[in-house]
Amino acid sequence: MRCVVANWKMHLASDEARAFCEDLLGRFTSEGGTEVGIAPPYTLLHLVSALVRPKGIQVFGQNGHAEAKGAFTGEISMPQLRDAGCSGVLLGHSERRQFFGETDAALAKKVKAAWQWDLLPLLCIGESLAQRDAGQTLEVLGQQLSILAETGPGPLWVAYEPVWAIGTGRRAEAAQVREAHAFIRAELQRHLAGTDYQVPILYGGSVTPESFPELLDIPEVAGGLVGGASLDPRKFAELVRQAG
Ligand code: PEP
């Protein structure tokens, strides 16, 4: 199964989101069997869900709190995401880890909360440049995936996103992606042994229509989590077409 997910981060107002969705849907065919998702900012969830879900496009939250409700000003809960039309939630994006202090311990709770509310977690993992330069990439990925020992098995998508490749225009080399994805697959097999869960592993980090076909040729690359290029409906539709 191939998957392409747009991460809009903190971009777009409602008129821009509507124009994006209408443009995308004009170019979109769901015949290829690729799972397509959009993760808009919270204020756009209802609007985007109403426009794209009837066409089979999934909507993801960009984060979700582990508690279902309570005094957590500025946060959003998993049932609120469901209520707004989400079927999944991005968890552990490097910007959440970097700028908002998201820890693996917190993520384990969030993954469990997502399952409890029937949301598909798209768990983002990846090493910083300093960690790669220190030869710690696989150790970091193994540590980030070790939350599965605590959560136990469940439905999941994973995105490998080297932090140094996000929003920088600097895509990881094919050999680096191949090594990381093979390692992630082996770790997932270990954590999910004896279960039937099929976990697609997406690549994220400066994906464009120019770079995506080569990435899709790499074993274990099941698609992309796309930031910058996902703000252009023409580019995003082309990425979906390439995933085919
Ligand atoms: C992302 O936000 O997950 C991402 C990969 O961004 P970009 O495509 O802009 O590097």
Side-chain angles (χ1 to χ4, degrees), residues 7 9 93 95 124 161 165-169 204-207 225-229:
N7 177 13
K9 311 192 186 195
H93 191 281
E95 288 152 17
C124 305
E161 300 204 298
I166 297 178
T168 58
S206 298
V207 169
L225 176 56
V226 189

Side-chain angles (χ1 to χ4, degrees), residues 126-143:
E127 81 288 359
S128 67
L129 190 55
Q131 288 165 332
R132 175 161 285 276
D133 288 345
Q136 295 168 343
T137 297
L138 301 186
E139 187 187 325
V140 169
L141 298 178
Q143 171 63 36

